[in-house]
Amino acid sequence: MGEPVTGREVRTLPYGSWPSPVDAALAAAHDGKPEFVGFVGDEVWWTEPRPAEGGRRALVRRRADGTQESPLPAPWNARSRVIEYGGRPWAGAVLDGEPLLVFVNFADQRLYRWRPGDDPLPLTPASAVGGGLRWADPQVLSGRGGPAGPGTGEVWCVLEEFTGEGPGDVRRVLAAVPLDGSAAADRGAVRELTDHRHRFVTGPRLSPDGRRAVWLTWDHPRMPWDGTELLLAEVGEDGVLSAPEVVAGGPEESIAQAEWAPDGSLLYASDRSGWWNLYRDGEPLCPREEEFGGPLWKLGQRWFAPLDGGTVAVVHGRGAAALGVLDPETGEVVDAAGPWTEFDATLAVRGERVVAVGAGPYSAHEVVELDTRTGRARVIGAAHEDPVDPAYCPEPLIRAFTGPDGREIHAHVHPPRNPGCVAPQGELPPYVVWAHGGPTSRAPLVLDLEIAYFTSRGIGVAEVNYGGSTGYGREYRNRLRERWGVVDVEDCAAVALALADEGTADRARLAIRGGSAGGWTTAASLTATDVYACGTILYPILDLTGWGSGETHDFESRYLETLVGPLAEVPERYAERSPAEHADRITAPFLLLQGLDDVICPPAQCERFLARMTGRGVPHAYIAFEGEGHGFRRAETMVRALESELSLYAQVFGLDAAGIPTLELGT
């Protein structure tokens, strides 16, 4: 922890030039968060990022006595690539008093079995076809769903199988993998539980008696937050599923998750009311204008979990997501006390214990356990420790702004903050608007050292949850339908200009940055507005026509039909909104950052865009990173990206970024 600054002399220095202990290496070392918590007997397991180890995800084990370890060393990497964004990569059971784990290894995407003292044993074959065989959202079963042992059980999970070299040459089914390793060299030993009539499936959930299974499906062109179907099938004595029937959902109803309660009733989160609310056997449990579910970007995300006593652990809220316990009989929700104001879509329960991942504006993501009998919540893993004096971290403000047509825009504003510095009287700070990815997603209000990297130097940050963001109901989410590149651009500009008009930000020193869909919004903003003096574009979509006609992966290949419109019907809209088609409109300097292994937003889009910028006299830089995909995971990549971004702002805004390598801007 950094030394306290009490008694330190306060210096007067221009905004953006304040010395800060929050360097890029510190921000990179604390990037990422724990995910996919679960119980194995009384032990709690989860995955955790390791930026310094090539960005791998480590499996972490917390024993019943509280001791912790990462039993699988590098290069083992528990991460699935199903639908490219992945999903729950592990599951476990107890055998002879010891844990038995199955997990997906990122490098080869094979499913492995592991027990203490053994090397991981492959359970599935490798494949040389296309993207190969991939697995996600596993459950360890034997016979009718009890704890399994080698040679007696199966792993039920999602199988994604490529049938050719193209991103759309793929089929997805529910599958049963033998735990004895007999399928490691024999694809035929994998038992398929369903046909592939549906393009997308989630992992099956078995009823307490093992006689019924439910799972979610959807098909192109829908995304899971547009419309899904909840399927139910009987499980025969031979482990074969009967013909499934649709029990909920449809083209305009999104079921985000389904689970069986201990009494055999079926719980699911549906947005049929305009909000993701909970239902039990079709009846609403707690009708509220808030969310008890969210966008299913990763298979196995979990917003609720039934407890043995009949109550339900829930992650819920409007905007921010709290952890609570719902009493289905009364509809009352009691939230866990503590400093955590944002909880992720990962939950696990055992008895009356709940494990979740929570964070807040002053603490990073931690593994939290709630004892529902006492109401006591405590940190049990990935405990936050202040890497610097908290006085260098931002104090964010939750704001609502007014956009075009009087629409409300949600945002988090992080003013500059440094206990050792003030700006000269009368100077206004530069501000960077952050556009989140997705775009069907949301910027959570949590401590982020990448934001502190800028605010502690005197550069403000405004995270905009523009129209289309989640957490505010389906109507807010649907604002972006066929309006991507319009509503998001307008909302970000409205927040930036409002901050300038109220005297919070310097109108001449506004910037915008974002990654993925946020990279699109950044590039589109630079082509469609004159609000920003510069921008940082990370792994973006730049050419809608190319992206919508085969340049991206299967999961999002028809996403643009709702965001923009069907390509065959409105091709001119695709061309009109694409930054790659209007490079001549860009006059502001920019930085473009791209992973060369990105199959979601491929580098070819950046290369076409840059070719059209050649000779135009606009200062810019392009940095491509070997070994990085969609979203940067390696510490050295994140350091270079952050320092380059700061150098861009320093050059454009006239700041003194001492000690930061100068980004070479070409034209």
Side-chain angles (χ1 to χ4, degrees), residues 541-585:
I541 300 167
L542 296 168
D543 174 5
L544 292 178
T545 302
W547 201 80
S549 58
E551 274 192 345
T552 191
H553 63 140
D554 184 60
F555 176 56
E556 292 180 278
S557 62
R558 304 282 294 277
Y559 195 5
L560 297 185
E561 292 196 24
T562 51
L563 291 175
V564 182
L567 177 58
E569 297 176 18
V570 289
E572 70 285 348
R573 191 182 294 167
Y574 279 62
E576 176 56 34
R577 294 188 192 168
S578 292
E581 294 289 334
H582 301 289
D584 59 304
R585 297 179 184 173

Side-chain angles (χ1 to χ4, degrees), residues 16-49:
S17 303
W18 299 347
S20 170
V22 186
D23 61 17
L26 188 71
H30 291 81
D31 188 74
K33 59 189 176 183
E35 284 186 301
F36 301 117
V37 296
F39 281 97
V40 181
D42 285 329
E43 298 182 354
V44 181
W45 289 66
W46 61 88
T47 67
E48 202 169 274

Side-chain angles (χ1 to χ4, degrees), residues 107-473:
D108 57 12
Q109 287 300 290
R110 299 173 77 182
L111 197 62
Y112 286 80
R113 188 188 83 208
W114 174 85
R115 299 202 69 205
D118 295 341
D119 292 330
L121 173 74
L123 298 181
T124 57
S127 171
V129 179
L133 297 170
R134 300 176 179 179
W135 316 84
D137 205 5
Q139 290 189 72
V140 178
L141 308 171
S142 73
R144 279 296 182 89
T152 65
E154 293 180 324
V155 183
W156 284 26
C157 54
V158 174
L159 162 60
E160 179 179 79
E161 182 173 25
F162 282 79
T163 58
E165 296 300 325
D169 299 329
V170 64
R171 60 194 295 273
R172 299 178 185 90
V173 298
L174 301 186
V177 177
L179 266 171
D180 62 5
S182 58
D186 181 9
R187 167 66 179 83
V190 174
R191 189 166 65 90
E192 295 193 8
L193 300 169
T194 62
D195 58 31
H196 58 276
R197 71 179 64 183
H198 291 291
R199 192 70 168 186
F200 302 98
V201 295
T202 63
R205 299 289 180 264
L206 264 71
S207 59
D209 61 7
R211 296 184 180 275
R212 292 173 294 169
V214 292
W215 65 97
L216 301 178
T217 68
W218 66 98
D219 293 287
H220 285 319
R222 297 192 305 261
M223 298 299 285
W225 42 86
D226 297 322
T228 57
E229 292 179 336
L230 176 58
L231 301 188
L232 182 149
E234 301 292 328
V235 183
E237 293 290 341
D238 55 359
V240 174
L241 301 183
S242 66
E245 60 175 313
V246 178
V247 294
E252 294 294 326
E253 179 185 357
S254 170
I255 310 292
Q257 180 194 340
E259 304 287 343
W260 296 97
D263 65 2
S265 59
L266 180 59
L267 304 177
Y268 58 86
S270 165
D271 73 347
R272 64 181 60 155
S273 69
W275 298 83
W276 274 301
N277 278 190
L278 285 187
Y279 294 80
R280 179 172 59 189
D281 293 333
E283 297 299 320
L285 288 183
C286 182
R288 295 186 181 185
E289 289 191 348
E290 60 179 78
E291 308 284 30
F292 289 77
L296 192 66
W297 280 103
K298 298 180 179 182
L299 304 186
Q301 286 180 298
R302 208 175 189 196
W303 291 268
F304 69 89
L307 290 150
D308 284 350
T311 56
V312 184
V314 292
V315 171
H316 72 107
R318 187 167 183 155
L323 173 65
V325 176
L326 164 65
D327 184 341
E329 303 307 318
T330 65
E332 181 185 14
V333 180
V334 177
D335 288 339
W340 314 283
T341 54
E342 293 272 8
F343 281 85
D344 276 8
T346 180
L347 282 176
V349 297
R350 180 171 174 82
E352 298 303 316
R353 298 164 63 196
V354 180
V355 174
V357 174
Y362 308 108
S363 63
H365 291 87
E366 304 173 296
V367 181
V368 177
E369 182 181 76
L370 170 65
D371 185 332
T372 60
R373 295 167 299 183
T374 65
R376 178 174 176 248
R378 59 180 181 138
V379 176
I380 63 168
H384 172 78
E385 294 183 5
D386 293 322
V388 295
D389 191 295
Y392 286 100
C393 296
E395 285 192 330
L397 305 170
I398 300 173
R399 298 282 304 272
F401 295 87
T402 302
D405 304 320
R407 62 178 182 251
E408 187 176 52
I409 306 166
H410 300 281
H412 307 143
V413 177
H414 306 261
R417 184 173 185 241
N418 183 312
C421 296
V422 294
Q425 188 172 0
E427 184 187 0
L428 294 176
Y431 257 81
V432 184
V433 168
W434 282 31
H436 65 70
T440 310
S441 185
R442 183 177 66 89
L445 187 59
V446 301
L447 177 62
D448 184 341
L449 289 186
E450 283 198 9
I451 293 177
Y453 180 76
F454 295 104
T455 57
S456 63
R457 287 170 168 77
I459 301 172
V461 170
E463 296 180 289
V464 181
N465 283 319
Y466 47 80
S469 300
T470 54
Y472 308 100

Side-chain angles (χ1 to χ4, degrees), residues 561-628:
E561 292 196 24
T562 51
L563 291 175
V564 182
L567 177 58
E569 297 176 18
V570 289
E572 70 285 348
R573 191 182 294 167
Y574 279 62
E576 176 56 34
R577 294 188 192 168
S578 292
E581 294 289 334
H582 301 289
D584 59 304
R585 297 179 184 173
I586 295 184
T587 59
F590 64 88
L591 168 63
L592 182 57
L593 302 167
Q594 176 69 41
L596 290 177
D597 292 346
D598 193 340
V599 297
I600 296 172
C601 294
Q605 294 236 328
C606 292
E607 292 159 8
R608 288 200 299 273
F609 174 71
L610 290 168
R612 294 171 183 176
M613 292 299 304
T614 301
R616 293 207 50 252
V618 177
H620 65 275
Y622 176 52
I623 306 176
F625 297 98
E626 295 274 359
E628 291 283 11

